[in-house]
Amino acid sequence: TTLIMKCVRTVSAFMILASASAFQMPRSAAETMRRSPSAIQASPLPFAGAAESYANIWVPPFQAARDAGLAPDFLIHWGHAGAMATVLCTMGLVGTWMGWQIRAGNGDEVNALTVGETIREAHPKIMGGMTFFFLLGGQGGLVLNAVQGQPVLESPHAITATLGLSLLAVQALLPTFFDKGPAMRTAHAYLGSSVIAVFFVHMAAGIQLGLSF
């Protein structure tokens, strides 16, 4: 739809910046290993080792891209943050508002934000798009930390990301149980708002992390 295409075009532009933010790394892989403890040893997350291995695959080509001057330092450090904050503050907040409008009985209304669709039709598309960009951007964040010699999944930022994405998975399943009674719809509404709150905590943790090095 027109609404989704506009969202995709806007967020895709920031995703390019997020990808570019992975282009900075220490001058050698050995230096990276000296500065950053193994995620297997330092992170409380059980899949940290696999995530670290995945991120390290991209270290050599991103170092080459950095050395070629493809991205400025500011974009390298803050591109991921800019992209994900844009997704959260646009798709996340709009989608949440739509969810509560549906709960209030206004799901069949059409307005400027829905661009010809009803609120009920636009809500799952916008939230699905948000989830897609969060999953894509999360990979950029992993690589960003690895190429800058930071722990991959040790920070509160990484832990809140894991929590938020896990809750999103639960949230996505709840509509399949709506026919069981109104309690499932109530759970979906309140859990959805809680997930967005978690991601704002995640954003604050990310800003703190970015300012720490």
Side-chain angles (χ1 to χ4, degrees), residues 177-190:
F177 298 99
F178 279 178
D179 59 351
K180 303 297 183 182
M184 292 294 101
R185 293 181 181 273
T186 299
H188 182 76
Y190 286 97

PDB file of all heavy atoms in Angstrom, residues 177-190:
ATOM      1  N   PHE A 177      -5.064 -16.198  18.939  1.00  0.00           N
ATOM      2  CA  PHE A 177      -5.902 -16.688  20.032  1.00  0.00           C
ATOM      3  C   PHE A 177      -7.059 -15.741  20.345  1.00  0.00           C
ATOM      4  O   PHE A 177      -7.729 -15.897  21.368  1.00  0.00           O
ATOM      5  CB  PHE A 177      -5.058 -16.891  21.298  1.00  0.00           C
ATOM      6  CG  PHE A 177      -3.977 -17.916  21.153  1.00  0.00           C
ATOM      7  CD1 PHE A 177      -2.669 -17.532  20.895  1.00  0.00           C
ATOM      8  CD2 PHE A 177      -4.262 -19.275  21.254  1.00  0.00           C
ATOM      9  CE1 PHE A 177      -1.657 -18.472  20.753  1.00  0.00           C
ATOM     10  CE2 PHE A 177      -3.258 -20.225  21.118  1.00  0.00           C
ATOM     11  CZ  PHE A 177      -1.956 -19.824  20.865  1.00  0.00           C
ATOM     12  N   PHE A 178      -7.292 -14.757  19.491  1.00  0.00           N
ATOM     13  CA  PHE A 178      -8.354 -13.791  19.754  1.00  0.00           C
ATOM     14  C   PHE A 178      -9.733 -14.453  19.858  1.00  0.00           C
ATOM     15  O   PHE A 178     -10.623 -13.961  20.555  1.00  0.00           O
ATOM     16  CB  PHE A 178      -8.387 -12.724  18.670  1.00  0.00           C
ATOM     17  CG  PHE A 178      -7.350 -11.634  18.865  1.00  0.00           C
ATOM     18  CD1 PHE A 178      -7.230 -10.616  17.930  1.00  0.00           C
ATOM     19  CD2 PHE A 178      -6.517 -11.624  19.964  1.00  0.00           C
ATOM     20  CE1 PHE A 178      -6.289  -9.605  18.094  1.00  0.00           C
ATOM     21  CE2 PHE A 178      -5.564 -10.633  20.142  1.00  0.00           C
ATOM     22  CZ  PHE A 178      -5.457  -9.619  19.202  1.00  0.00           C
ATOM     23  N   ASP A 179      -9.900 -15.584  19.149  1.00  0.00           N
ATOM     24  CA  ASP A 179     -11.200 -16.248  19.190  1.00  0.00           C
ATOM     25  C   ASP A 179     -11.452 -16.966  20.512  1.00  0.00           C
ATOM     26  O   ASP A 179     -12.548 -17.481  20.747  1.00  0.00           O
ATOM     27  CB  ASP A 179     -11.333 -17.234  18.025  1.00  0.00           C
ATOM     28  CG  ASP A 179     -10.252 -18.303  18.037  1.00  0.00           C
ATOM     29  OD1 ASP A 179      -9.290 -18.197  18.834  1.00  0.00           O
ATOM     30  OD2 ASP A 179     -10.363 -19.266  17.247  1.00  0.00           O
ATOM     31  N   LYS A 180     -10.445 -16.978  21.392  1.00  0.00           N
ATOM     32  CA  LYS A 180     -10.604 -17.637  22.691  1.00  0.00           C
ATOM     33  C   LYS A 180     -11.314 -16.753  23.706  1.00  0.00           C
ATOM     34  O   LYS A 180     -11.726 -17.228  24.758  1.00  0.00           O
ATOM     35  CB  LYS A 180      -9.234 -18.039  23.245  1.00  0.00           C
ATOM     36  CG  LYS A 180      -8.424 -18.944  22.332  1.00  0.00           C
ATOM     37  CD  LYS A 180      -9.109 -20.276  22.103  1.00  0.00           C
ATOM     38  CE  LYS A 180      -8.238 -21.195  21.240  1.00  0.00           C
ATOM     39  NZ  LYS A 180      -8.908 -22.489  20.955  1.00  0.00           N
ATOM     40  N   GLY A 181     -11.416 -15.460  23.382  1.00  0.00           N
ATOM     41  CA  GLY A 181     -12.107 -14.567  24.310  1.00  0.00           C
ATOM     42  C   GLY A 181     -11.437 -13.213  24.393  1.00  0.00           C
ATOM     43  O   GLY A 181     -10.326 -13.012  23.886  1.00  0.00           O
ATOM     44  N   PRO A 182     -12.078 -12.243  25.026  1.00  0.00           N
ATOM     45  CA  PRO A 182     -11.552 -10.877  25.103  1.00  0.00           C
ATOM     46  C   PRO A 182     -10.253 -10.747  25.886  1.00  0.00           C
ATOM     47  O   PRO A 182      -9.537  -9.759  25.727  1.00  0.00           O
ATOM     48  CB  PRO A 182     -12.682 -10.101  25.787  1.00  0.00           C
ATOM     49  CG  PRO A 182     -13.470 -11.137  26.523  1.00  0.00           C
ATOM     50  CD  PRO A 182     -13.388 -12.372  25.690  1.00  0.00           C
ATOM     51  N   ALA A 183      -9.953 -11.723  26.727  1.00  0.00           N
ATOM     52  CA  ALA A 183      -8.723 -11.635  27.523  1.00  0.00           C
ATOM     53  C   ALA A 183      -7.485 -11.595  26.634  1.00  0.00           C
ATOM     54  O   ALA A 183      -6.500 -10.910  26.956  1.00  0.00           O
ATOM     55  CB  ALA A 183      -8.634 -12.825  28.486  1.00  0.00           C
ATOM     56  N   MET A 184      -7.515 -12.303  25.502  1.00  0.00           N
ATOM     57  CA  MET A 184      -6.375 -12.313  24.598  1.00  0.00           C
ATOM     58  C   MET A 184      -6.181 -10.952  23.941  1.00  0.00           C
ATOM     59  O   MET A 184      -5.058 -10.496  23.739  1.00  0.00           O
ATOM     60  CB  MET A 184      -6.562 -13.396  23.539  1.00  0.00           C
ATOM     61  CG  MET A 184      -6.498 -14.820  24.057  1.00  0.00           C
ATOM     62  SD  MET A 184      -4.852 -15.282  24.701  1.00  0.00           S
ATOM     63  CE  MET A 184      -5.125 -15.110  26.478  1.00  0.00           C
ATOM     64  N   ARG A 185      -7.281 -10.290  23.623  1.00  0.00           N
ATOM     65  CA  ARG A 185      -7.184  -8.953  23.038  1.00  0.00           C
ATOM     66  C   ARG A 185      -6.645  -7.959  24.067  1.00  0.00           C
ATOM     67  O   ARG A 185      -5.842  -7.083  23.737  1.00  0.00           O
ATOM     68  CB  ARG A 185      -8.550  -8.504  22.533  1.00  0.00           C
ATOM     69  CG  ARG A 185      -9.059  -9.311  21.345  1.00  0.00           C
ATOM     70  CD  ARG A 185     -10.403  -8.807  20.853  1.00  0.00           C
ATOM     71  NE  ARG A 185     -10.875  -9.604  19.725  1.00  0.00           N
ATOM     72  CZ  ARG A 185     -10.564  -9.365  18.450  1.00  0.00           C
ATOM     73  NH1 ARG A 185      -9.779  -8.333  18.153  1.00  0.00           N
ATOM     74  NH2 ARG A 185     -11.034 -10.130  17.488  1.00  0.00           N
ATOM     75  N   THR A 186      -7.083  -8.109  25.309  1.00  0.00           N
ATOM     76  CA  THR A 186      -6.577  -7.242  26.368  1.00  0.00           C
ATOM     77  C   THR A 186      -5.082  -7.459  26.576  1.00  0.00           C
ATOM     78  O   THR A 186      -4.307  -6.499  26.706  1.00  0.00           O
ATOM     79  CB  THR A 186      -7.330  -7.511  27.677  1.00  0.00           C
ATOM     80  OG1 THR A 186      -8.720  -7.227  27.482  1.00  0.00           O
ATOM     81  CG2 THR A 186      -6.790  -6.640  28.803  1.00  0.00           C
ATOM     82  N   ALA A 187      -4.675  -8.715  26.586  1.00  0.00           N
ATOM     83  CA  ALA A 187      -3.249  -9.023  26.745  1.00  0.00           C
ATOM     84  C   ALA A 187      -2.438  -8.442  25.598  1.00  0.00           C
ATOM     85  O   ALA A 187      -1.344  -7.892  25.803  1.00  0.00           O
ATOM     86  CB  ALA A 187      -3.059 -10.546  26.821  1.00  0.00           C
ATOM     87  N   HIS A 188      -2.966  -8.541  24.389  1.00  0.00           N
ATOM     88  CA  HIS A 188      -2.278  -8.014  23.215  1.00  0.00           C
ATOM     89  C   HIS A 188      -2.098  -6.502  23.325  1.00  0.00           C
ATOM     90  O   HIS A 188      -1.014  -5.967  23.019  1.00  0.00           O
ATOM     91  CB  HIS A 188      -3.075  -8.364  21.960  1.00  0.00           C
ATOM     92  CG  HIS A 188      -2.450  -7.911  20.686  1.00  0.00           C
ATOM     93  ND1 HIS A 188      -1.370  -8.544  20.114  1.00  0.00           N
ATOM     94  CD2 HIS A 188      -2.763  -6.873  19.856  1.00  0.00           C
ATOM     95  CE1 HIS A 188      -1.042  -7.929  18.988  1.00  0.00           C
ATOM     96  NE2 HIS A 188      -1.873  -6.908  18.813  1.00  0.00           N
ATOM     97  N   ALA A 189      -3.124  -5.808  23.771  1.00  0.00           N
ATOM     98  CA  ALA A 189      -3.061  -4.352  23.879  1.00  0.00           C
ATOM     99  C   ALA A 189      -2.024  -3.910  24.909  1.00  0.00           C
ATOM    100  O   ALA A 189      -1.168  -3.056  24.623  1.00  0.00           O
ATOM    101  CB  ALA A 189      -4.438  -3.800  24.246  1.00  0.00           C
ATOM    102  N   TYR A 190      -2.069  -4.495  26.085  1.00  0.00           N
ATOM    103  CA  TYR A 190      -1.175  -4.055  27.147  1.00  0.00           C
ATOM    104  C   TYR A 190       0.253  -4.561  26.938  1.00  0.00           C
ATOM    105  O   TYR A 190       1.220  -3.845  27.243  1.00  0.00           O
ATOM    106  CB  TYR A 190      -1.716  -4.480  28.513  1.00  0.00           C
ATOM    107  CG  TYR A 190      -2.894  -3.641  28.941  1.00  0.00           C
ATOM    108  CD1 TYR A 190      -4.202  -4.080  28.735  1.00  0.00           C
ATOM    109  CD2 TYR A 190      -2.700  -2.390  29.526  1.00  0.00           C
ATOM    110  CE1 TYR A 190      -5.282  -3.290  29.102  1.00  0.00           C
ATOM    111  CE2 TYR A 190      -3.776  -1.599  29.909  1.00  0.00           C
ATOM    112  CZ  TYR A 190      -5.064  -2.057  29.690  1.00  0.00           C
ATOM    113  OH  TYR A 190      -6.133  -1.261  30.042  1.00  0.00           O
TER     114      TYR A 190
END
